[in-house]
């Protein structure tokens, strides 16, 4: 023992970082070890997790789900009104919102404001007060976009007469949908619902949508994975940065638009609208990712995550092996950069379906391809690279269709495995915008957030019970 204490002190610190700091101050050689007990320290959940690790049924199911994800070929095939693309919207007053299910009473300000705007847009009410009363009284059905193979950014609102992008997975024929990106400023997705917003929505339905439908018809089809892959090589991560992807889309769309013999003034307005918005491709990126994740859904016993989404209050996930079941927890705060004059107290909780991009292995998972994104969400280029590497620890594999130049063209980590998240306490990272908590103020910043661990712990327990039931059947 005397010999031991005469040697230089070398310590591995597990637990509070302050312990390591104290030892370092007195000259100790300290290696901090970041470790947390599996399943957030829940003993029963830990036992469920242990039963699922390397379980042959789960391993086989994950390989099936992951292969279906990799094989998906999302292609832009059409533009349709929502009531035509989603038959349920033609049968009743239905408005879709982002994230997991939530009642009107519990919704955040931006989502409520956007729903009021959608009711006014549809002509179901003529005043804001009447529209709000309709929603409060349950005269309008409110359901998640994900329940209808759809996604929408921020508030995520889709109402019956809104135009939608129609994406078809050529591998299985299944379709996915998203609304159009409105641009910046006062927009419905942030809860704005004044005359300017409504007039823009009407123009998008009456002039933009027919032009884009004609252009897509002229193109025939547009494969989206190759375009997204190229954008990753040009500095996008196709979630919070879509400048390159939007430019690539314009190169394909504009010649088709010119071939459609549209009135020159309409063509000018359409082109000006698209080119003024670097995020125009975002909704296509989200829909392509939704198409890929839908392909992986509903594989019994799979622990692969097929949905991550937020409604401004809660964060929700779905697992392939548990069908339509949601697992929810309060949304984590967003750490990032705020626009001048705004701060944490002004921000709504994390919001939107756009985390479907991270679910599919891009967005935050592909930050290494987009060093410029850190100027918008905070951190350094090294942080972006490290985030992409960390995600390899919680995924089933990698997607060779999406490669990262900064990592020597390594494929993006993909196929989030809920078991690995619960076991290693490494949370899926998400790039996101920050919305003001009041309807209509708009975006007040951007940053990085993570999915809450408890969603994955709850999902693991439910999956373990399903696997046990399957074994005994």
């Amino acid at each position: 023992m005397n010999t031991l204490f005469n040697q230089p002190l070398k310590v591995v610190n597990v637990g509070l970082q302050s312990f390591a700091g104290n030892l370092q101050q007195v000259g100790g050689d300290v290696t901090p070890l970041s470790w947390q007990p599996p399943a957030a320290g829940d003993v029963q959940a830990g036992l469920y997790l242990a039963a699922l690790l390397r379980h042959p049924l789960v391993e086989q199911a994950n390989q099936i789900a992951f292969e279906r994800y990799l094989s998906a070929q999302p292609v832009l095939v059409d533009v349709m009104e929502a009531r035509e693309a989603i038959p349920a919207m033609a049968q009743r007053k239905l408005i879709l919102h982002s994230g997991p299910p939530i009642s009107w009473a519990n919704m955040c300000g931006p989502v409520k404001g956007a729903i009021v705007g959608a009711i006014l847009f549809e002509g179901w009410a003529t005043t804001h007060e009447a529209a709000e009363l309709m929603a409060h009284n349950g005269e309008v059905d409110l359901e998640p976009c994900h329940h209808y193979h759809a996604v929408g950014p921020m508030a995520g609102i889709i109402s019956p007469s809104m135009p939608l992008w129609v994406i078809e997975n050529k591998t299985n024929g299944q379709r996915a949908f998203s609304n159009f990106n409105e641009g910046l400023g006062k927009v419905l997705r942030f809860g704005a619902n004044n005359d300017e917003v409504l007039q823009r929505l009407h123009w998008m339905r009456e002039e933009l949508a027919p032009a884009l439908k004609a252009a897509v018809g002229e193109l025939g089809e547009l494969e989206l994975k190759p375009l997204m892959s190229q954008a990753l090589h040009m500095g996008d991560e196709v979630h919070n940065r879509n400048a390159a992807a939007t430019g690539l889309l314009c190169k394909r769309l504009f010649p088709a638009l010119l071939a459609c013999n549209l009135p020159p003034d309409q063509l000018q307005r359409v082109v000006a609208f698209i080119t003024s918005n670097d995020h125009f491709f975002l909704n296509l990126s989200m829909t392509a990712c939704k198409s890929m994740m839908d392909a992986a859904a509903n594989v019994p016993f799979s622990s692969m995550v097929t949905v991550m989404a937020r409604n401004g209050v809660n964060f929700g996930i779905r697992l392939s092996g548990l069908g339509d079941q949601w697992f929810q927890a309060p949304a984590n705060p967003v750490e990032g950069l705020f626009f001048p004059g705004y701060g944490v107290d002004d921000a709504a909780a994390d919001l939107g379906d756009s985390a479907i991009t991270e679910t599919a292995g891009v967005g935050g998972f592909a930050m290494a391809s987009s060093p410029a994104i850190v100027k918008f969400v905070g951190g350094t280029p090294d942080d972006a690279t490290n985030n992409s590497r960390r995600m390899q620890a919680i995924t089933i594999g990698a997607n060779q269709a999406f490669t990262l130049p900064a990592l020597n063209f390594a494929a993006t980590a993909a196929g989030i495995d809920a078991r690995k998240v619960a076991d290693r306490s490494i949370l899926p990272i998400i790039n996101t915008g920050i919305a003001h908590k009041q309807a209509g103020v708009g975006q007040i910043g951007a940053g990085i957030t993570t999915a809450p661990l408890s969603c994955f712990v709850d999902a693991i327990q439910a999956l373990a019970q399903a696997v046990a039931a399957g074994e005994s059947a």
Side-chain angles (χ1 to χ4, degrees):
M1 290 293 290
N2 290 335
T3 303
L4 175 64
F5 285 116
N6 287 331
Q7 295 176 358
L9 183 62
K10 294 184 179 181
V11 177
V12 175
N13 182 76
V14 180
L16 292 176
Q17 184 64 33
S18 59
F19 291 167
N22 291 336
L23 290 168
Q24 287 169 334
Q25 286 179 6
V26 296
D29 183 354
V30 184
T31 301
L33 179 63
S34 178
W35 180 85
Q36 296 180 40
D42 185 316
V43 175
Q44 185 58 57
L47 293 173
Y48 280 129
L49 175 61
L52 291 179
L53 293 174
R54 299 185 181 86
H55 194 292
L57 280 179
V58 180
E59 297 295 334
Q60 182 181 18
N62 281 348
Q63 290 308 308
I64 293 171
F66 191 65
E67 180 56 37
R68 291 179 182 176
Y69 152 77
L70 290 177
S71 300
Q73 295 297 329
V75 175
L76 173 61
V77 295
D78 206 349
V79 169
M80 293 181 177
E81 278 198 359
R83 61 166 59 92
E84 179 185 4
I86 303 171
M89 303 198 81
Q91 300 164 4
R92 53 197 170 99
K93 291 178 178 176
L94 173 62
I95 291 177
L96 307 184
H97 61 80
S98 62
I102 188 170
S103 67
W104 168 262
N106 294 324
M107 286 178 174
C108 68
V111 174
K112 283 187 173 182
I115 288 170
V116 167
I119 291 172
L120 295 172
F121 171 68
E122 294 296 334
W124 297 338
T126 56
T127 67
H128 289 71
E129 294 76 14
E132 188 168 345
L133 188 61
M134 284 186 70
H136 175 77
N137 291 340
E139 298 175 47
V140 177
D141 293 334
L142 306 173
E143 298 185 43
C145 293
H146 276 290
H147 289 188
Y148 295 90
H149 303 287
V151 283
M154 301 311 291
I157 300 303
I158 296 175
S159 64
S161 66
M162 288 183 181
L164 303 183
W165 295 116
V166 180
I167 308 301
E168 184 174 309
N169 177 5
K170 287 300 180 178
T171 304
N172 63 12
Q174 189 174 52
R175 291 187 165 189
F177 315 99
S178 180
N179 50 13
F180 288 179
N181 196 288
E182 306 160 80
L184 302 176
K186 300 290 185 182
V187 290
L188 191 74
R189 69 179 183 274
F190 286 109
N193 52 31
N194 60 19
D195 287 343
E196 174 191 347
V197 173
L198 297 178
Q199 288 172 12
R200 185 189 305 112
L201 291 174
H202 283 289
W203 175 82
M204 291 170 67
R205 179 181 65 189
E206 294 158 12
E207 189 164 89
L208 177 64
L212 291 176
K213 184 177 182 70
V216 173
E218 181 70 24
L219 278 174
E221 294 178 346
L222 178 60
E223 293 186 20
L224 295 176
K225 282 171 75 172
L227 195 153
M228 293 165 67
S229 176
Q230 187 176 357
L232 290 176
H233 293 177
M234 298 170 66
D236 283 356
E237 37 75 270
V238 292
H239 180 174
N240 258 2
R241 192 178 194 276
N242 287 277
T246 299
L248 293 169
L249 176 66
C250 289
K251 287 180 65 177
R252 300 297 302 275
L253 274 182
F254 289 177
L257 279 168
L258 289 169
C260 292
N261 295 317
L262 298 171
D265 56 342
Q266 179 186 4
L267 181 63
Q268 183 178 14
R269 287 189 292 270
V270 167
V271 169
F273 180 81
I274 295 172
T275 56
S276 68
N277 179 15
D278 282 348
H279 282 295
F280 190 74
F281 186 80
L282 169 62
N283 297 46
L284 280 170
S285 173
M286 290 172 56
T287 320
C289 290
K290 175 61 175 169
S291 177
M292 290 185 271
M293 299 320 302
D294 278 355
N298 299 312
V299 178
F301 312 127
S302 172
S303 60
M304 181 171 165
V305 178
T306 55
V307 170
M308 295 194 297
R310 312 89 91 204
N311 56 28
V313 177
N314 290 330
F315 192 110
I317 68 169
R318 284 175 162 182
L319 300 193
S320 173
L322 296 173
D324 295 337
Q325 191 171 356
W326 286 92
F327 300 92
Q328 301 186 50
N332 284 341
V334 180
E335 296 182 8
L337 302 177
F338 286 89
F339 299 161
Y342 297 105
V344 174
D345 292 340
D346 302 307
D350 199 17
L351 177 63
D353 287 332
S354 56
I356 195 67
T357 56
E358 281 81 9
T359 317
V362 289
F365 281 50
M367 283 182 72
S369 72
S370 185
I373 195 69
V374 299
K375 289 187 175 181
F376 191 49
V377 300
T380 67
D382 284 344
D383 294 331
T385 299
N386 291 336
N387 285 332
S388 292
R389 287 197 175 106
R390 278 173 58 80
M391 297 303 98
Q392 296 170 357
I394 58 170
T395 47
I396 295 169
N399 188 343
Q400 295 295 333
F402 301 136
T403 57
L404 307 175
L407 297 184
N408 198 25
F409 291 93
T412 59
I416 299 168
D417 188 338
R419 298 175 303 171
K420 294 181 179 180
V421 175
D423 185 35
R424 298 172 182 179
S425 298
I426 296 175
L427 301 176
I429 194 158
I430 298 164
N431 293 341
T432 185
I434 303 173
H436 198 285
K437 61 187 178 184
Q438 295 179 6
V441 175
Q443 185 171 359
I444 60 172
I448 295 172
T449 189
T450 54
L453 181 59
S454 61
C455 291
F456 299 90
V457 174
D458 292 345
I460 285 302
Q461 295 187 75
L463 182 64
Q465 293 167 359
V467 169
E471 288 179 315
S472 63

